[in-house]
Amino acid sequence: VELGGTGGGGALGGSPASVESEVVGPGSTSRLLSAGTSDGEVPPEFCGMDINNHMEALYFSLSTMATIGYGTSDYYFGECWTPFLLVLLQVFSAIVFSSLAVGLIFQRMSRGQKRARTIVFSDCAVVRRVGGVWHLMFRLAELRRGHIIGARVRAFLVRHERCPVDDDGGGGARGGMETAHYVSRQLALAGDGGAAESERGILMGLPQVVVHRMDGSSPLLPGRPVWYDGRGVPHGPQPPASGPGSDGGGPPGRDGDGSQPTQEEIAMFLADRCAELVVFVEGTCENTGMALQSRHSYRIEDVAFHRTFEPCVFP
């Protein structure tokens, strides 16, 4: 089969000296130049590619791009355009599907949410007195060996805010309670050297106990000298213990001088305010470089008084 004749044009419209056979691919066109012989005749096959016209060049380009490799006797399908259009549509659909599948699978595997599930928190938060001051503590740990870069922990207390209002607005008789629901306040966490910080850097390679000092500015403690519950009933410090043989101490969880609230008063205050402690741990996964965030919350029923955490790391 010849690509051209000895006249002014052949099957491809080329000259006797040379014929251009275009091999078309998606978004690009490469030209296969075949030079004629000295007498103007073109060899029937160029480099054994068996490409005789534009259609066969398109099939060759599409099969090369998609690595189809049909095993039929005539892989050009008798120079029919219908199979070519079907194959082109099928290859385009396969490319789009493969791109979406690879993107979704990679995104699913590299999601920070799945990595954050390996950060675990203690079931209960502990409130106990250390050095005569109330402290809130909770423990967290990492289950994987992979390091979390720049791990930081933050804690927020979500609670109701209540304050008495006056009917005349001028400090007269109290008319009722005004409540702001679910107000969030950030807790200061004990950092290096005991300094309070809004967020604390932690080493996730070992279990960590995070501590909040419940001083006068802590939103976990009821206000002084008086605070009001949802019914408008005032509450305040207990009077100091008196009597023969009394040293003003009292049982655990109670304060004789009234400077620190009692265990019962703290529990009543947190229950009245519907308080919930929300903890965030944020960092970057070392393996994927994805940002991750793990969250946990403690309600009043998840708080244990005068307890401590069991040791979990031994030499």
Side-chain angles (χ1 to χ4, degrees):
V1 179
E2 295 185 357
L3 294 179
T6 58
L12 298 178
S15 63
S18 64
V19 174
E20 293 184 357
S21 178
E22 296 184 356
V23 181
V24 182
S28 65
T29 302
S30 62
R31 299 182 180 274
L32 180 61
L33 301 178
S34 59
T37 59
S38 59
D39 56 358
E41 296 182 358
V42 181
E45 294 182 355
F46 177 74
C47 298
M49 297 180 67
D50 195 18
I51 296 177
N52 302 308
N53 50 42
H54 286 279
M55 183 178 179
E56 293 181 356
L58 289 174
Y59 268 122
F60 179 82
S61 175
L62 189 63
S63 301
T64 303
M65 179 194 67
T67 64
I68 297 176
Y70 288 115
T72 60
S73 58
D74 183 9
Y75 49 85
Y76 294 128
F77 301 104
E79 300 182 4
C80 182
W81 282 97
T82 302
F84 170 75
L85 295 178
L86 294 177
V87 172
L88 179 62
L89 180 61
Q90 177 65 34
V91 171
F92 179 77
S93 303
I95 292 175
V96 174
F97 176 78
S98 300
S99 302
L100 294 177
V102 171
L104 293 176
I105 293 175
F106 178 78
Q107 182 184 10
R108 184 71 177 179
M109 294 177 59
S110 60
R111 289 179 61 185
Q113 182 179 3
K114 184 177 180 180
R115 178 67 175 85
R117 295 175 183 172
T118 61
I119 301 177
V120 293
F121 298 82
S122 57
D123 295 333
C124 296
V126 172
V127 175
R128 55 180 299 196
R129 300 187 64 173
V130 179
V133 181
W134 290 103
H135 286 76
L136 170 73
M137 308 176 189
F138 59 90
R139 186 159 63 181
L140 53 91
E142 167 64 62
L143 298 181
R144 288 190 180 181
R145 294 184 178 181
H147 183 62
I148 297 179
I149 302 173
R152 311 286 294 181
V153 58
R154 295 181 298 158
F156 294 85
L157 182 70
V158 181
R159 71 174 198 183
H160 300 331
E161 299 284 350
R162 309 188 195 278
C163 63
V165 294
D166 302 331
D167 291 335
D168 55 2
R174 183 170 55 84
M177 296 297 302
E178 182 175 316
T179 302
H181 298 281
Y182 302 111
V183 179
S184 62
R185 291 190 178 185
Q186 189 169 3
L187 301 184
L189 304 178
D192 297 336
E197 302 175 352
S198 58
E199 61 179 14
R200 175 189 169 189
I202 54 177
L203 176 64
M204 296 300 297
L206 294 171
Q208 301 289 330
V209 177
V210 183
V211 180
H212 165 68
R213 179 184 173 92
M214 300 168 58
D215 51 15
S217 61
S218 174
L220 287 168
L221 293 183
R224 287 293 184 259
V226 64
W227 63 277
Y228 298 90
D229 59 17
R231 299 174 298 173
V233 179
H235 300 269
Q238 298 291 336
S242 59
S246 174
D247 57 358
R254 295 187 176 273
D255 301 276
D257 56 359
S259 60
Q260 288 282 318
T262 63
Q263 171 184 335
E264 290 78 7
E265 187 180 4
I266 294 176
M268 183 188 304
F269 174 77
L270 296 178
D272 174 75
R273 295 298 195 266
C274 296
E276 182 174 359
L277 177 65
V278 183
V279 182
F280 296 89
V281 177
E282 300 168 332
T284 304
C285 181
E286 181 183 30
N287 298 329
T288 62
M290 297 288 294
L292 59 91
Q293 183 185 80
S294 180
R295 299 178 295 271
H296 192 76
S297 64
Y298 299 95
R299 298 179 59 88
I300 180 59
E301 54 267 19
D302 301 324
V303 177
F305 287 86
H306 303 292
R307 297 291 187 270
T308 186
F309 293 108
E310 290 288 341
C312 59
V313 178
F314 300 94

